[in-house]
């Protein structure tokens, strides 16, 4: 079976080279693009800020050496971060806001409100 979710799960298994996964997911191939988004979507990014979001994803793969591949990965991370937080917007509208302590990094919906779209992220 070659469904993107299953292939993405395979790429995250132990024994698979995280350096080669990072290189492959940074490629411009159609399959790489599809798996890149699915692989990133498998990481829970809800409630993260920019730094913590990047750190969570790059703990699972080795950052490629080519800037264009890094750019593709970061763009994919931004898309998935935005998509995961869009789902929270509806949910938060139904719940009263909660008081939060000061934190060192703007994150989650607070960060989303500061940004216009995922390109800004």
């Amino acid at each position: 079976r070659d469904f993107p979710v299953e292939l993405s799960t395979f790429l995250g298994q132990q024994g698979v080279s995280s350096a080669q996964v990072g290189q492959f997911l940074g490629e411009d191939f159609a399959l790489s693009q599809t798996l890149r988004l699915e692989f990133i979507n498998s990481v829970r990014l809800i409630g993260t800020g920019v730094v913590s979001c990047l750190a969570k994803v790059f703990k699972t793969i080795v950052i490629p050496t080519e800037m264009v591949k890094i750019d593709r990965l970061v763009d994919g991370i931004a898309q998935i971060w935005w998509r995961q937080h869009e789902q929270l917007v509806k949910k938060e509208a139904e719940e009263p806001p909660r008081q939060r302590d000061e934190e060192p990094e703007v994150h989650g919906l607070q960060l989303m409100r500061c940004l216009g779209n995922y390109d800004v992220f």
Side-chain angles (χ1 to χ4, degrees):
R1 296 167 77 173
D2 59 353
F3 298 110
V5 174
E6 293 169 349
L7 289 172
S8 173
T9 301
F10 170 76
L11 293 176
Q13 290 178 348
Q14 246 181 351
V16 176
S17 167
S18 59
Q20 289 181 341
V21 170
Q23 291 292 331
F24 175 72
L25 294 178
E27 292 289 347
D28 196 28
F29 305 126
L31 180 61
S32 296
Q33 293 171 5
T34 301
L35 291 179
R36 177 183 323 129
L37 295 178
E38 190 57 50
F39 185 85
I40 295 167
N41 194 45
S42 71
V43 179
R44 183 175 167 83
L45 302 177
I46 292 174
T48 60
V50 176
V51 175
S52 55
C53 171
L54 293 170
K56 277 185 99 167
V57 174
F58 288 126
K59 281 183 183 175
T60 62
I61 59 173
V62 175
I63 300 172
T65 55
E66 297 175 46
M67 291 301 290
V68 68
K69 291 181 180 182
I70 296 169
D71 184 59
R72 289 183 193 120
L73 284 167
V74 170
D75 183 71
I77 293 167
Q79 286 182 46
I80 297 303
W81 183 95
W82 192 266
R83 190 180 308 161
Q84 289 183 8
H85 283 82
E86 279 181 327
Q87 297 168 2
L88 284 182
V89 172
K90 295 176 187 172
K91 187 176 181 179
E92 188 188 65
E94 299 168 1
E95 297 176 4
R98 291 179 271 164
Q99 185 72 20
R100 295 184 184 227
D101 296 331
E102 259 323 288
E103 297 186 27
E105 181 181 18
V106 177
H107 62 280
L109 292 178
Q110 183 183 4
L111 177 60
M112 187 178 190
R113 287 186 191 101
C114 296
L115 307 173
N117 59 41
Y118 85 87
D119 284 329
V120 177
F121 182 82

